[in-house]
Amino acid sequence: MVLPTPLAAANQAAVAAVKQGQHQEALFLFHKLLEQLHKRHLTHADLFIVYSNKAACHLALQQYEQALQDARQCIQLLAKASARAGLSGGPSRHPHWPKACQRLGRALAGLGQHRQVCRALELSSVTSCCETAHHPHWPKACQCIEIALARLGNTSCQFCILALHPLA
C-alpha cells in the first residue's frame, strides 16, 4: 500500500503495533490514518487492507460489532477494487478475499450469529478461493464453521458439511 509519506508512516506504525499485539494502539493509529485520508479527500485502491486490519484488531479485543462493521467495509472496498482490476470471477478471485471472509465469519461467530457464519462463508465463495485445505486461511475458515455447527447442533448446511469433509 503506497500512501503519501506521513500516511504511509501511520500505516506502518499501525501494522507494527498489530504485530506486537498492541491492538488498541493499532486501532488508534488506523483511526488516525482514516481520519487523515478523509480530511484530505484521498482514497486508495488498497484501502480495504486498513479495514481488514482494523477488523483483526477488534476481533483480538473481542469487539465483535466493530469487527463486523470493518469486515463488511473491507468486503465492499475489496469488491470495488476487484471490479477496477477487472478480475474475472469477481471479488472471490482476489487474493485478499479469503482473509476478509474469514474475519467476517469470526465477527459473526463472536456475535452469536452462527447461521450467518455458514451463509457468509458460503456466499463469499471462500471454498472456491481457498480451493482446498492448502490455503493458509482455510483452517480459520473451518474453525468458524465448526464453531457455528457446534452452536447450531445438527444442521443440514451442505456447504458446511462439504467444507469440513470434502469428497475424496
Side-chain angles (χ1 to χ4, degrees):
M1 189 168 161
V2 179
L3 293 167
T5 306
L7 299 176
N11 186 58
Q12 289 171 351
V15 170
V18 170
K19 289 179 181 178
Q20 294 173 358
Q22 299 172 345
H23 299 100
Q24 199 64 48
E25 175 68 14
L27 283 171
F28 173 77
L29 294 168
F30 284 130
H31 175 75
K32 287 295 186 186
L33 173 63
L34 291 170
E35 194 176 78
Q36 288 300 313
L37 287 170
H38 182 70
K39 266 187 196 177
R40 296 178 183 189
H41 304 286
L42 296 175
T43 59
H44 194 278
D46 292 337
L47 191 58
F48 63 87
I49 294 170
V50 173
Y51 284 97
S52 178
N53 289 336
K54 278 185 66 198
C57 290
H58 285 300
L59 287 168
L61 296 169
Q62 298 183 351
Q63 298 170 342
Y64 300 115
E65 189 64 45
Q66 296 93 328
L68 181 62
Q69 291 171 8
D70 286 334
R72 285 182 172 155
Q73 183 67 30
C74 171
I75 285 173
Q76 288 176 352
L77 292 169
L78 194 53
K80 290 178 184 178
S82 298
R84 280 191 306 274
L87 290 177
S88 62
S92 67
R93 288 290 163 210
H94 193 286
H96 197 78
W97 190 251
K99 185 184 288 187
C101 295
Q102 173 260 321
R103 289 180 176 160
L104 177 67
R106 286 182 56 207
L108 288 165
L111 290 169
Q113 298 177 12
H114 303 293
R115 288 200 189 282
Q116 289 86 341
V117 171
C118 299
R119 190 76 181 135
L121 293 173
E122 179 182 16
L123 290 176
S124 68
S125 302
V126 74
T127 52
S128 67
C129 194
C130 290
E131 291 178 350
T132 65
H134 302 293
H135 192 282
H137 297 292
W138 187 244
K140 286 188 180 179
C142 286
Q143 184 181 25
C144 289
I145 294 168
E146 287 172 341
I147 291 168
L149 288 175
R151 298 280 162 67
L152 291 172
N154 191 7
T155 184
S156 61
C157 177
Q158 292 302 308
F159 166 76
C160 296
I161 293 166
L162 289 173
L164 294 173
H165 308 287
L167 300 174

